[in-house]
Each structure stands twice: as C-alpha cells, then as structure tokens.
Amino acid sequence: MIGNWLDIGPVYQIEPGMARTLPVEGGEEIAVFHTMTGDFYALVNKCPHKQGPLSQGIVHGAVVACPLHNWNISLKTGEALGGDEGCVPTIPLKVDAGRIYLLRSAVLGEKPKPEAA
Amino acid sequence: MNAPVSFDQESARKAGRERLVVIGNGMAGCRAVEELLERDPDRYSVTIFGAEPRVNYNRIMLSPVLAGEKTFEEIVINGQDWYEDNAITLVSGDPVEHVDCANRSVISASGRVEPYDRLIFATGSDPFIIPVPGKDLPGVVTFRDLDDVDRMLCAAEKGGDAVVIGGGLLGLEAAHGLSLRGMNVTVIHLMPTLMERQLDEAAGWLLKEELERRGQTILISADTEAILEKDGHVAGVRLKDGREIPADIVVMAVGIRPNVALAKAAGMEVERGIVVDDHMVTSDPAVLAVGECVQHRGACYGLVAPLWEMCRALADGLTDRPSGYQGSVTSTKLKVSGIDLFSAGDFSGSDGSEDIVMRDAARGVYKRVVVQDSKVIGAVLYGDTADGNWYFDLLKKGEDISDIREALIFGQAYASGGALADPNAAVAALSDDAEICGCNGVSKGKVVACIDAGAHSVDAVRSTCKASASCGSCTNLVEGLLAITLGEDVESGPKTMCKCTSFTHSDVRRLILEKELKEIPQVMQELHWTTPDGCSSCRPALNYYLLCAWPGEYVDDQKSRFVNERLHANIQKDGTYSVVPRMWGGLTNPKELRAIADAAEKYQARTVKVTGGQRIDLFGIRKEDLPAIWADLNAAGMVSGHAYGKALRTVKTCVGSEWCRFGTQDSTGLGVKIERMTWGSWMPHKFKIAVSGCPRNCAEATIKDFGVVCVDSGYELHVGGNGGIKVRATDLLCKVETEEEALTTCAAFIQLYREEAHYLERTAPWVERVGLDYVKSRMFDEADAVAKLAARFRISQKYSQIDPWAQRAGGDRKDLHTHIGEVRPLQMEDVL
C-alpha cells in the first residue's frame, strides 16, 4: 500500500495558511497547501487562467487566491470559483502519523487508474 | 499480580457454552460484553484479560479525577459484582502476551493458557511518545490510565512547574487538572492553533485567550527539541528555538496510536489499526476487534462515541443478527469546566459549502455551522454549546435545513419556533422598550423613531441614535428593524470592507484603536466577521491596519501578505521575480553598478531595465535565488527598494543646485534625506515622492503622492498626485522655508495618510474623498499637529527600517524560498 504513496515529509514543514512547492522532474510542479483549519491539499502549481503559481496566493478557507489576477481556486477540486471557469489537476493527498503523502501516480502525472486512491 | 477471579460453582453452568475471550478490560472490551449479555446472556462463557490491576472504569473521566472533580469510585463502570453476577472471569493485572490462532488459545504473562472459540481484541491505544532526548526520564508521564493520574497528583502535591506537550483535547485537559491542583502550567503545542483537528483558527484563538486568562502559559508553533535532566529527574523542556521551560513534571499528550502489537504478532491483518470488516471481524474469522485498536474502512477513532456503535455491531454479529457498522461521524467536547467548546463533522469549508457564522463578542461566543446542499456538514461552537447536540443530530441525519436556513445559527429554540423562524418576525415581535443596543442603551422604540425620522440605512441609524455603533453585534437587529419599518426603501450604507463584515474600512480602523484589538483573529471575533478566517481582501487590510495601529507590538502576519510583500520582490507573469535595489534619491556609484551587473549575470536576469523611479530592475530571478542575490547586493551596501510593496517606493530627484544652472535648492540632497527618513514604511498603498530643484519640475513632482518643488524662497509641498490610470496633478499643501520643515511636514502627511486612508486607497482618491481642506485642517489647525504626526511616524519607522533582504539573506523564513522537496522519477530516490 505504502508504495503507492510518496512521503513528502512532516506536516509542520508548512505553516497553516501557506503552501510550499514540490518540483517534479519532467512533470508539473506541485503546490502543497495547509489551510488555517488544518487541512492539506495538493494541486498542480498553475492557475488555469494564466498559469500563475498558486502556491504564492493568499489562502482563505479551502480556497487560494491566485497571486497574478486574484482568481479564486478551490483547493478541494481545483476548480475556479465565482464567475471564472477553469480547473487545475488535484493530487490525492493523505496525512498519516504527522507525515504528508501524495499519490505517486498522480505526482508523476499518470492518468489515474479506475480504483486508484 | 492479582489472582484470577474464578467461580467454581459457575463452571458447571458454563459448560457447553462457546468460549469468548476478551483481551482488554477497558471501555470497549467491557461494553462489547455488556451488549452481548443484553442480547443473549447464556450463549458465551466470557473471560476478560486486563493489564491494569483493577476493574473497568470510564477512561474519559480521568480528566475530572485529575481536576479533583470526581473520585475513582465515581468513574467505575463495572465493579467486582458485575463480573460476579454475570459469571465473567476477570484476569486483571496479567496481560495476554501471546495469541495462538492455530490452536485458538491465548497465553498470559503468568503462563495461564485460555482456549477460545471467539476472541475479541480490545487492546485500545498507546500514548505516542515523541522521540526526543530525555523522553524516558523519571517525571515524564503520559495521560492514559489511573497510574498516570496518580503520578501527576503526586507531582502536584509538591507544586512547582508542569509542562504539557500537546495542545489537543487530552493535553489541555491534563493542563487544566494540573493547573487546578496548583501547578504552574505551560502547554507546548506544535501547531499554531490549539486543538487544530477539532477547532478552526477563530475558536482556537478564543480558547487560547481564555486559558491564558486562567494563568496557563500557552506556547503555540513550539517544537520540542529535548527534555532536560537534573539529578536524574526531569528538569525542563528545551524548544527548537532555544527557549527553555523549567518543569518538575512533563506530560506527553501528543496523540495516541492503536495498540496492535499483539494482533500483528498473531498474524492478523494490521495497517494503522487492526483491520476489521463492518461486523468487526478481523482477517481471522474467529477473531474480532473493537475500539481504538481497530481500523474500519480506513479510519481509526480515538473518541468514545464510535466505540459504542462498534460494540453494538459486534454484539449483533456474535448473536447471529448482523447489522453492520457504517463508520462514525464524531463530535468533540472539551472537558474543562467553564469552557464550552463543541465541534463536529467537516468544518474545513469547500466550494459547495457555505459558512454561517455568528459572533457575540460581549458574551465571548463564536458559532460556525457549515452547510452544503442544504444539509449541515459541520459545526464549531465556542462559548455557547447548548445547540451542539442539535446541530450534530441534524448532521448525522442529513436533514434538509432549507426551511430553517435563516434562523439556523440562532439555535434550536429559535429555528423551531414557527413564525419566529423568520428573524425579522422575531424582531417585529419585540416590545418597544426591548433593548436593541446594549452598548449604548437604545431601545427598539428609539431605533424605530430614528428610522421614521429619516435614518434609512444602518449607517444613518448609527450616526443618529448610536444603535450598533459600538461593538456592532446588534447590526442584524437594526437591519431587521430597517426592513420591517421601511420595506423596500432601505438604503444600502457605505461600502463595507468586504463580504466578511458589515463594517466599513473606517469603522474597522476606529474600532481597532478604541477596543485595542491587536491580532487578526481578535478583530474578526470582536467585530463579528461572518467568515471563519476572512478572505484575500480583508486579511491584508487587517494586517496593515494592525501594523499601523500598534508599531513594534504587532507581529506581521506573512500569510496575510500578498506574494510580493511576502517574498520582497515583484512576481512576474511567468512566476519569476524582479529585484530592485534601493538607490537613494536616484544616486548610484560604480561599486553599486558593478555589483548589480555581476548579480544580473550570476542569476541570469533576462532583462535589465532602468525604471521610471530612477533605479534598476533585474527581471527573471527565481524565488529560490532571491536570498542569494540579496546577499550579493547587500554586500555592496544596497538594501531593498520596496518596489514590490504598499510602501514608500522611491524618491525621484533632479540634480538641483549642485550642477543645474537653473537649480534653486539642493533637490538631490533633500531627496536623499527624505528617502532615508521614509524608506521601509508600510502604507495603505504604494507611495511615490519626488523633489524638483526648480519650477521646471524635471522630477515630475506634481504627479507624485508627495512632491517638493524648490523655489528661491523655500519649498512648495504638493500632495495627492498620481500618474496612473487616472492622471491627477497634486494639490498645494503648503510652503515652507527650510529643509527641516519640509522633512517634518512630509513625515506628518505620510502618517496622516497611513492612519486614515483605506487599505489600497492611493493618496489621490483619498484626498478627493476627504477633501484637501480636511487634510489641511488635520495638519495645521492645531499648532503642534504636524509635530505630533511626525513623531508618530518616526516611532513607527524605528520598527520598519530593517532591511528585509538582509533578514532573508541571513536565513530568516527559509521555508518561503525553498521547495519542500524534489521528485526525480528516473532515480528511485523520490523526494530529496
């Protein structure tokens, strides 16, 4: 089971209300978010609008405001909120015993298998 | 070790029954047996093994025992007679050490062999011990059983200092107990919010305030490095930031882990917990498991309610009427007397979900209910938990709440009250002398009279009869009265700060000072924010307002800063940054230029551009390289140009009397002095200054926020200019004779703007909004107004003239500039 999940380190690496980045060689950089309510999410670090680095946006609730043009992106679904349209891929994430795990296949940008995660 | 309780006279009666062995004499094990006896008292002959040498007690009531509110006798669930009456064999103080699944028997520490037909693991969980030096010292205890409580009580008798590591449910209950027992208690919590798994930031803040008021010291975002020793006993705790806290006892309460060792050794399928199906059966069909030691559908539980539900499903299965356990939705209450706290369900918030927030600062109440698809999916209550169970019930049943949506947050009594479910109807039902505004003592009759007299907006009501003008908690009542009295004619008031609040920017600024609000969560609580943690427009505004109101005291909140101000560089469309070092008054020299050239090459700046503000911009720098390029520029004597901030940007100058044949004064020299005085200052918006040496105005001083035009007889000071989307020429503020006066007036004007403008309001719209006459009157009506404003500006500058680049280059906030790791799929070493 553990083999499907990539351990990216302890939860306290990311201050609540902030995000940090995880570059993937040959793939898309990932932004890992820690919300003020203590939840963790991972998204491809690219706003669907103009590819702004979402990791640098202001986090409120389970939403990040893109630093370039203030689009609000849902951390749960990757979808643009409000009147805007677009969606950024999300990476399945779990927290176990104080460590953050990402679904390996999603990190590597593989198409999710039917029963993955 | 106690001898097993056995009853020979019962043996005969028990013969022929199926043999059931339970490992664990705790709450889960005994409850499972109780449920079983209720369904079929004659089917099994039961033997319970317990590691603790005592009968079954209610573990969740250990906190009240520690606090001295209950005795051990009061928390016993099943005394000796229960075992006897039900012919249960209790083997206490003799834990099972081995399970032989093949031969269906268990072997205890003393060598007792007990065969079984069915076996139940109810081994519970173990406290998690953080692996730090000193964790095994005498005086380091956990908070799990009665022995732990005894050890704490023993320490408390001698008084002194206690440190509790872990600000979760258990840790806070331990801290409360030790504090009541007279110890001086410090709680160390790794995360920035207490009980972050159960509480949001707002409720966590209220809890922290209350515990501190009760004399506990709460250290958040504190990471334990080591437990210190003196004379073979615990003496204190050292944090990773170097702080040391003295301790005569250290309670480790960071969490629990399912106790799975025995099951694992016996060959059961074990992940985080013992894996069970919906009937609590493990990978061995003869073996079941229940309680905190199990993992059901991927979830482990550390609370008591799921345990009851599991026991029911287990007993149903063991008596051949399988029902199946579906997993639990959990709720939490903190057992600290006088603190009412409740949380349930999912309150992390999402797109489809909507927060309904009610705050009552006067009563210290925070209520938040999360609704999705017309159903309650989560709730956090602080200060008034009377409706906790009602919300929890709505949540578990998944009831459609659209009919009571408007009144939901006011609670069950209100929402179920028929006609009263419409909040306006409730307001209408109040008598004329009912008090609406407690702060200003305004009755309903007075508010209505005031509305009838022409106050047709909340703001108009506030300014006439003062209702809702102070704390604002009755704003919704005033709005209700406006709606009832005027119907459709209610005027919308001035624009509120954002959708999170009914207050305007000016209200918020005024109330921060009046009520001495000093932290963002405090502002949100006291001013009744309707969202749990604000939004991307109010957070940066509040951060600025607090920074301006409490210089030197307020700690800048990085997560409420826009990216440019957080990274001290300007983000560009490709996600790289631009870097602009400061050039005082537009002056530079070969050494600085050389350093800039070297940095441009070394960090591969793709574009080097001279800015309109007389300095040099390096484009295309990566976020990871920022601290290094800053270090290089610092080494040549340069500091941040704040080209990225709502702050003083640049002071543009012409060459002035030193070189220019038309120059009347030393404009370059004055520009440098002004920039030295004003750099680093945070403002409502960006702020540009220029100094021109004569009225030809080569430095374009009349389209700046503050412009100086030198003339033969002195200095003309201009304000409120803007060269942006809407060009606005400055207004003449005044004329002064000396450089000193020019500097002081500049400082005073900036401070007035800093203190009174709305966040993101440039000086041009601000001056137009309030009027030049107002600005002049605030500065010149009183003889010493300029001096006082300038003095406040200088105080604030004492704390802001610290080069942020040097701090970051020195290693501060490394997390903002580094990746969390890197994934290189070609090598199997994944995260480096």
Side-chain angles (χ1 to χ4, degrees), chain B residues 274-344:
Chain B
I274 305 170
V275 177
V276 294
D277 65 11
D278 288 355
H279 307 289
M280 314 313 293
V281 178
T282 69
S283 54
D284 179 336
V287 182
L288 299 90
V290 71
E292 290 177 345
C293 62
V294 312
Q295 177 179 328
H296 172 260
R297 297 187 189 176
C300 297
Y301 296 95
L303 296 166
V304 74
L307 188 151
W308 302 150
E309 292 168 22
M310 286 181 201
C311 286
R312 280 197 287 275
L314 175 136
D316 287 341
L318 279 181
T319 50
D320 301 325
R321 41 200 141 171
S323 54
Y325 171 61
Q326 305 298 319
S328 298
V329 187
T330 54
S331 70
T332 309
K333 266 188 174 172
L334 182 70
K335 288 181 296 302
V336 168
S337 49
I339 296 184
D340 294 322
L341 192 54
F342 174 90
S343 96

Coordinates of all heavy atoms in Angstrom, one line a residue, chain B residues 274-344:
Chain B
I274 N -6.0 -2.6 13.7 CA -6.3 -4.0 13.3 C -7.5 -3.8 12.3 O -8.5 -3.3 12.6 CB -6.8 -4.8 14.5 CG1 -5.7 -4.8 15.6 CG2 -7.1 -6.2 14.1 CD1 -6.1 -5.3 17.0
V275 N -7.2 -4.4 11.1 CA -8.2 -4.2 10.0 C -9.5 -5.1 10.3 O -9.3 -6.3 10.5 CB -7.6 -4.5 8.7 CG1 -8.7 -4.4 7.6 CG2 -6.5 -3.6 8.4
V276 N -10.7 -4.4 10.3 CA -11.9 -5.2 10.6 C -12.9 -4.9 9.5 O -12.8 -3.8 8.8 CB -12.5 -4.8 11.9 CG1 -11.7 -5.3 13.1 CG2 -12.9 -3.3 12.0
D277 N -13.9 -5.8 9.3 CA -15.0 -5.5 8.4 C -16.1 -4.8 9.1 O -16.0 -4.5 10.3 CB -15.4 -6.8 7.7 CG -16.0 -7.8 8.7 OD1 -16.3 -7.4 9.8 OD2 -16.2 -9.0 8.3
D278 N -17.3 -4.7 8.5 CA -18.4 -4.0 9.1 C -18.9 -4.7 10.3 O -19.7 -4.2 11.1 CB -19.5 -3.8 8.1 CG -19.1 -2.8 7.0 OD1 -18.1 -2.2 7.2 OD2 -19.9 -2.6 6.1
H279 N -18.6 -6.0 10.5 CA -19.0 -6.8 11.7 C -17.9 -6.9 12.7 O -18.0 -7.7 13.6 CB -19.6 -8.1 11.2 CG -20.6 -7.9 10.1 ND1 -21.9 -7.4 10.4 CD2 -20.5 -8.2 8.8 CE1 -22.5 -7.3 9.2 NE2 -21.7 -7.8 8.3
M280 N -16.9 -6.1 12.6 CA -15.8 -6.0 13.5 C -15.0 -7.3 13.5 O -14.3 -7.6 14.5 CB -16.2 -5.7 14.9 CG -17.2 -4.6 15.1 SD -16.8 -3.1 14.1 CE -15.3 -2.5 14.9
V281 N -15.0 -8.1 12.4 CA -14.3 -9.3 12.3 C -13.0 -9.0 11.6 O -12.9 -8.3 10.6 CB -15.1 -10.4 11.5 CG1 -14.3 -11.7 11.3 CG2 -16.4 -10.7 12.1
T282 N -11.9 -9.6 12.1 CA -10.6 -9.4 11.6 C -10.3 -10.3 10.4 O -11.2 -11.0 10.0 CB -9.5 -9.6 12.6 OG1 -9.4 -11.0 12.9 CG2 -9.7 -8.8 13.9
S283 N -9.1 -10.4 10.0 CA -8.7 -11.3 8.9 C -8.8 -12.7 9.3 O -8.9 -13.6 8.5 CB -7.3 -11.0 8.4 OG -6.4 -11.0 9.5
D284 N -8.9 -13.0 10.6 CA -9.2 -14.4 11.1 C -10.7 -14.4 11.5 O -11.1 -13.7 12.4 CB -8.3 -14.7 12.3 CG -8.5 -16.1 12.9 OD1 -9.6 -16.6 12.7 OD2 -7.6 -16.6 13.5
P285 N -11.5 -15.2 10.9 CA -12.9 -15.2 11.1 C -13.3 -15.5 12.6 O -14.4 -15.1 13.0 CB -13.5 -16.3 10.2 CG -12.4 -16.7 9.3 CD -11.1 -16.2 9.9
A286 N -12.4 -16.1 13.4 CA -12.8 -16.4 14.8 C -12.4 -15.2 15.7 O -12.7 -15.2 16.9 CB -12.0 -17.7 15.2
V287 N -11.7 -14.2 15.1 CA -11.2 -13.2 15.9 C -11.8 -11.8 15.5 O -11.9 -11.5 14.3 CB -9.7 -13.0 15.7 CG1 -9.1 -11.9 16.6 CG2 -9.0 -14.4 16.1
L288 N -12.3 -11.1 16.5 CA -12.9 -9.8 16.3 C -12.1 -8.7 17.0 O -11.2 -9.1 17.8 CB -14.3 -9.8 16.8 CG -15.3 -10.7 16.2 CD1 -15.3 -12.1 17.0 CD2 -16.7 -10.1 16.1
A289 N -12.3 -7.5 16.7 CA -11.6 -6.4 17.4 C -12.6 -5.2 17.4 O -13.4 -5.0 16.6 CB -10.3 -6.0 16.6
V290 N -12.4 -4.4 18.5 CA -13.3 -3.3 18.7 C -12.6 -2.2 19.5 O -11.6 -2.4 20.2 CB -14.5 -3.8 19.5 CG1 -14.2 -4.2 20.9 CG2 -15.7 -2.8 19.5
G291 N -13.0 -1.0 19.2 CA -12.5 0.2 20.0 C -11.3 0.9 19.2 O -11.3 0.9 18.0
E292 N -10.5 1.5 20.0 CA -9.4 2.4 19.5 C -8.4 1.6 18.7 O -7.6 2.2 18.0 CB -8.8 3.2 20.6 CG -9.7 4.3 21.1 CD -9.1 5.0 22.3 OE1 -8.0 4.5 22.8 OE2 -9.6 6.1 22.7
C293 N -8.3 0.3 18.9 CA -7.3 -0.5 18.3 C -7.6 -0.9 16.8 O -6.8 -1.4 16.1 CB -6.9 -1.8 19.1 SG -8.3 -2.9 19.2
V294 N -8.9 -0.6 16.4 CA -9.2 -1.1 15.1 C -9.1 0.0 14.0 O -9.1 1.2 14.3 CB -10.7 -1.7 15.0 CG1 -10.9 -2.6 16.2 CG2 -11.7 -0.5 15.0
Q295 N -9.1 -0.5 12.8 CA -9.1 0.3 11.6 C -10.3 -0.2 10.8 O -10.3 -1.3 10.3 CB -7.8 0.3 10.8 CG -7.8 1.1 9.6 CD -6.5 1.0 8.8 OE1 -5.4 0.9 9.5 NE2 -6.5 1.0 7.5
H296 N -11.3 0.7 10.6 CA -12.5 0.3 9.9 C -12.7 1.2 8.7 O -12.7 2.4 8.9 CB -13.7 0.4 10.8 CG -15.1 0.2 10.1 ND1 -15.9 1.3 9.8 CD2 -15.7 -0.9 9.7 CE1 -16.9 0.8 9.2 NE2 -16.8 -0.5 9.1
R297 N -12.8 0.7 7.5 CA -12.9 1.4 6.3 C -11.8 2.6 6.3 O -12.1 3.7 6.0 CB -14.3 2.1 6.1 CG -15.4 1.0 6.0 CD -16.7 1.7 5.7 NE -17.8 0.7 5.8 CZ -19.1 1.1 5.6 NH1 -19.4 2.3 5.4 NH2 -20.0 0.2 5.7
G298 N -10.6 2.2 6.7 CA -9.5 3.2 6.6 C -9.4 4.1 7.8 O -8.5 4.9 7.9
A299 N -10.4 4.2 8.7 CA -10.4 5.2 9.8 C -10.2 4.5 11.1 O -10.6 3.4 11.4 CB -11.8 5.9 9.8
C300 N -9.4 5.2 11.9 CA -9.2 4.8 13.3 C -9.8 5.9 14.2 O -9.8 7.1 13.8 CB -7.7 4.8 13.7 SG -6.8 3.5 12.8
Y301 N -10.4 5.6 15.3 CA -11.1 6.5 16.1 C -10.5 6.6 17.5 O -10.1 5.6 18.1 CB -12.6 6.2 16.3 CG -13.4 6.2 15.0 CD1 -13.5 5.0 14.2 CD2 -13.9 7.3 14.5 CE1 -14.2 5.0 13.0 CE2 -14.6 7.4 13.3 CZ -14.8 6.2 12.6 OH -15.5 6.2 11.4
G302 N -10.4 7.8 18.0 CA -9.9 8.0 19.4 C -10.9 8.6 20.3 O -10.6 9.1 21.4
L303 N -12.2 8.5 19.9 CA -13.2 9.1 20.8 C -14.2 8.0 21.2 O -14.2 6.9 20.7 CB -14.0 10.2 20.0 CG -13.2 11.4 19.6 CD1 -13.9 12.2 18.5 CD2 -12.8 12.2 20.8
V304 N -15.1 8.3 22.1 CA -15.8 7.3 22.8 C -17.1 6.9 22.0 O -17.5 5.7 22.0 CB -16.1 7.6 24.2 CG1 -17.2 8.7 24.3 CG2 -16.5 6.4 25.0
A305 N -17.7 7.8 21.3 CA -19.0 7.5 20.6 C -18.9 6.4 19.6 O -19.7 5.5 19.6 CB -19.6 8.8 20.1
P306 N -17.9 6.5 18.7 CA -17.7 5.4 17.7 C -17.6 4.0 18.4 O -18.1 3.0 17.8 CB -16.5 5.7 17.0 CG -16.2 7.2 17.3 CD -16.8 7.5 18.6
L307 N -17.0 4.0 19.5 CA -16.8 2.8 20.2 C -18.1 2.1 20.6 O -18.3 0.9 20.5 CB -16.0 3.2 21.5 CG -15.4 2.2 22.4 CD1 -14.1 2.9 23.0 CD2 -16.3 1.9 23.5
W308 N -19.1 2.9 21.1 CA -20.4 2.3 21.4 C -21.0 1.8 20.2 O -21.6 0.7 20.2 CB -21.3 3.4 22.0 CG -20.9 4.2 23.2 CD1 -21.3 5.5 23.5 CD2 -20.1 3.7 24.3 NE1 -20.7 5.8 24.7 CE2 -20.0 4.8 25.2 CE3 -19.4 2.6 24.6 CZ2 -19.3 4.7 26.4 CZ3 -18.7 2.5 25.8 CH2 -18.6 3.6 26.6
E309 N -20.9 2.5 19.0 CA -21.5 2.0 17.8 C -20.9 0.7 17.3 O -21.6 -0.2 16.9 CB -21.5 3.1 16.7 CG -22.3 4.3 17.1 CD -22.1 5.5 16.2 OE1 -21.6 5.3 15.0 OE2 -22.4 6.6 16.6
M310 N -19.6 0.6 17.5 CA -18.8 -0.6 17.1 C -19.3 -1.8 18.0 O -19.5 -2.9 17.5 CB -17.3 -0.4 17.3 CG -16.6 0.4 16.3 SD -14.9 0.4 16.8 CE -14.3 1.9 16.0
C311 N -19.5 -1.5 19.3 CA -19.8 -2.6 20.2 C -21.2 -3.2 19.8 O -21.4 -4.4 19.9 CB -19.8 -2.1 21.6 SG -18.1 -1.9 22.2
R312 N -22.1 -2.3 19.4 CA -23.4 -2.8 19.0 C -23.3 -3.7 17.8 O -23.9 -4.8 17.8 CB -24.3 -1.6 18.7 CG -24.9 -1.0 20.0 CD -26.1 -0.1 19.7 NE -25.7 1.2 19.0 CZ -25.3 2.3 19.7 NH1 -25.3 2.2 21.0 NH2 -25.0 3.4 19.1
A313 N -22.6 -3.3 16.8 CA -22.4 -4.1 15.6 C -21.8 -5.4 15.9 O -22.1 -6.5 15.4 CB -21.6 -3.3 14.5
L314 N -20.8 -5.4 16.8 CA -20.0 -6.6 17.2 C -21.0 -7.6 17.9 O -21.0 -8.8 17.5 CB -18.9 -6.2 18.1 CG -18.1 -7.4 18.7 CD1 -16.6 -7.1 18.6 CD2 -18.4 -7.6 20.1
A315 N -21.8 -7.1 18.8 CA -22.7 -7.9 19.6 C -23.7 -8.5 18.6 O -24.1 -9.7 18.7 CB -23.3 -7.2 20.7
D316 N -24.2 -7.7 17.7 CA -25.2 -8.2 16.8 C -24.6 -9.3 15.9 O -25.3 -10.3 15.7 CB -25.6 -7.0 15.8 CG -26.5 -6.0 16.5 OD1 -27.1 -6.4 17.5 OD2 -26.7 -4.9 16.0
G317 N -23.4 -9.2 15.5 CA -22.8 -10.2 14.7 C -22.5 -11.5 15.5 O -22.8 -12.6 15.0
L318 N -22.1 -11.3 16.8 CA -21.8 -12.5 17.6 C -23.1 -13.3 18.0 O -23.0 -14.4 18.5 CB -21.1 -12.1 18.9 CG -19.5 -11.9 18.7 CD1 -18.9 -11.5 20.0 CD2 -18.9 -13.1 18.1
T319 N -24.3 -12.6 17.9 CA -25.5 -13.3 18.2 C -26.4 -13.6 17.0 O -27.6 -13.7 17.0 CB -26.3 -12.4 19.2 OG1 -26.4 -11.1 18.7 CG2 -25.6 -12.4 20.6
D320 N -25.7 -13.6 15.8 CA -26.3 -14.1 14.6 C -27.4 -13.2 14.1 O -28.3 -13.6 13.5 CB -26.8 -15.5 14.7 CG -25.7 -16.5 15.1 OD1 -24.5 -16.2 14.6 OD2 -25.9 -17.4 15.9
R321 N -27.3 -11.9 14.4 CA -28.2 -11.0 13.7 C -27.4 -9.7 13.2 O -27.6 -8.6 13.7 CB -29.4 -10.6 14.6 CG -29.0 -10.3 16.0 CD -30.2 -10.3 17.0 NE -29.7 -11.0 18.2 CZ -30.4 -11.0 19.3 NH1 -31.6 -10.5 19.4 NH2 -29.9 -11.6 20.3
P322 N -26.6 -10.0 12.3 CA -25.6 -9.0 11.9 C -26.3 -7.7 11.4 O -27.2 -7.7 10.6 CB -24.8 -9.7 10.7 CG -25.7 -10.8 10.3 CD -26.4 -11.2 11.5
S323 N -25.8 -6.6 11.9 CA -26.3 -5.3 11.5 C -25.3 -4.5 10.7 O -25.6 -3.9 9.7 CB -26.7 -4.5 12.7 OG -25.6 -4.4 13.6
G324 N -24.1 -4.6 11.1 CA -23.0 -3.9 10.3 C -22.8 -2.5 10.9 O -23.7 -1.7 11.2
Y325 N -21.5 -2.1 11.0 CA -21.1 -0.8 11.5 C -20.7 0.0 10.2 O -20.1 -0.5 9.3 CB -19.9 -1.0 12.4 CG -19.2 0.3 12.8 CD1 -19.8 1.3 13.5 CD2 -17.8 0.5 12.5 CE1 -19.2 2.5 13.9 CE2 -17.2 1.7 12.8 CZ -17.9 2.6 13.5 OH -17.2 3.8 13.9
Q326 N -21.3 1.2 10.2 CA -21.1 2.0 9.0 C -20.0 3.1 9.1 O -19.9 4.0 8.3 CB -22.5 2.7 8.6 CG -23.6 1.7 8.5 CD -23.4 0.7 7.4 OE1 -22.9 1.1 6.3 NE2 -23.7 -0.5 7.6
G327 N -19.3 3.1 10.2 CA -18.4 4.2 10.4 C -19.1 5.3 11.2 O -20.3 5.3 11.3
S328 N -18.3 6.2 11.8 CA -19.0 7.2 12.7 C -18.6 8.6 12.3 O -17.5 8.9 11.8 CB -18.5 7.0 14.1 OG -18.8 5.8 14.6
V329 N -19.6 9.5 12.5 CA -19.3 10.9 12.4 C -19.1 11.3 13.9 O -19.8 11.0 14.7 CB -20.5 11.7 11.9 CG1 -20.2 13.2 11.7 CG2 -21.0 11.1 10.6
T330 N -18.0 12.0 14.1 CA -17.7 12.3 15.5 C -17.9 13.7 15.9 O -17.9 14.6 15.1 CB -16.2 11.9 15.8 OG1 -15.4 12.6 14.9 CG2 -16.0 10.4 15.6
S331 N -18.1 13.9 17.2 CA -18.2 15.2 17.8 C -17.3 15.3 19.0 O -17.0 14.2 19.6 CB -19.6 15.6 18.1 OG -20.0 14.8 19.3
T332 N -16.8 16.4 19.3 CA -15.9 16.6 20.4 C -16.4 17.7 21.4 O -16.9 18.7 21.0 CB -14.5 17.1 19.9 OG1 -14.1 16.3 18.9 CG2 -13.5 17.1 21.0
K333 N -16.2 17.4 22.7 CA -16.4 18.4 23.7 C -15.2 18.4 24.6 O -14.7 17.4 24.9 CB -17.7 18.1 24.5 CG -18.9 18.8 24.0 CD -20.1 18.7 24.9 CE -21.2 19.5 24.4 NZ -22.5 19.3 25.1
L334 N -14.8 19.6 24.9 CA -13.6 19.7 25.8 C -14.1 19.7 27.3 O -15.0 20.4 27.6 CB -12.9 21.0 25.6 CG -11.6 21.3 26.4 CD1 -10.5 20.4 26.0 CD2 -11.2 22.7 26.2
K335 N -13.5 18.8 28.1 CA -14.0 18.7 29.5 C -13.1 19.6 30.4 O -12.4 19.1 31.2 CB -13.9 17.2 29.9 CG -15.0 16.3 29.3 CD -14.9 14.9 29.8 CE -13.6 14.2 29.4 NZ -13.4 14.2 28.0
V336 N -13.2 20.8 30.2 CA -12.6 21.8 31.0 C -13.7 22.7 31.6 O -14.4 23.3 30.8 CB -11.5 22.6 30.3 CG1 -11.1 23.8 31.1 CG2 -10.4 21.8 29.9
S337 N -13.9 22.6 32.9 CA -15.0 23.3 33.5 C -15.0 24.8 33.1 O -14.0 25.4 33.2 CB -15.1 23.1 35.0 OG -13.9 23.4 35.5
G338 N -16.1 25.3 32.7 CA -16.2 26.7 32.5 C -15.9 27.1 31.0 O -16.0 28.2 30.6
I339 N -15.4 26.1 30.3 CA -15.1 26.4 28.9 C -16.0 25.5 28.0 O -16.0 24.3 28.1 CB -13.6 26.1 28.5 CG1 -12.7 27.1 29.3 CG2 -13.4 26.3 27.0 CD1 -11.3 27.0 28.9
D340 N -16.9 26.2 27.2 CA -17.8 25.4 26.4 C -17.3 25.4 25.0 O -17.2 26.4 24.4 CB -19.2 26.1 26.5 CG -19.8 26.0 27.9 OD1 -19.6 25.0 28.5 OD2 -20.4 27.0 28.3
L341 N -17.1 24.2 24.6 CA -16.5 24.0 23.3 C -17.0 22.8 22.6 O -17.2 21.8 23.3 CB -15.0 23.8 23.5 CG -14.0 23.9 22.4 CD1 -14.2 25.2 21.7 CD2 -12.6 23.8 23.0
F342 N -17.5 22.9 21.4 CA -18.1 21.8 20.7 C -17.6 21.8 19.3 O -17.6 22.8 18.6 CB -19.6 21.9 20.8 CG -20.3 20.8 20.0 CD1 -20.6 19.6 20.6 CD2 -20.6 21.0 18.7 CE1 -21.3 18.6 19.9 CE2 -21.3 20.0 17.9 CZ -21.6 18.8 18.5
S343 N -17.3 20.6 18.7 CA -17.0 20.6 17.3 C -17.5 19.3 16.7 O -17.4 18.2 17.4 CB -15.6 20.9 16.9 OG -14.8 19.7 16.8
A344 N -17.9 19.3 15.5 CA -18.4 18.1 14.9 C -18.3 18.2 13.4 O -18.4 19.2 12.8 CB -19.9 17.8 15.2

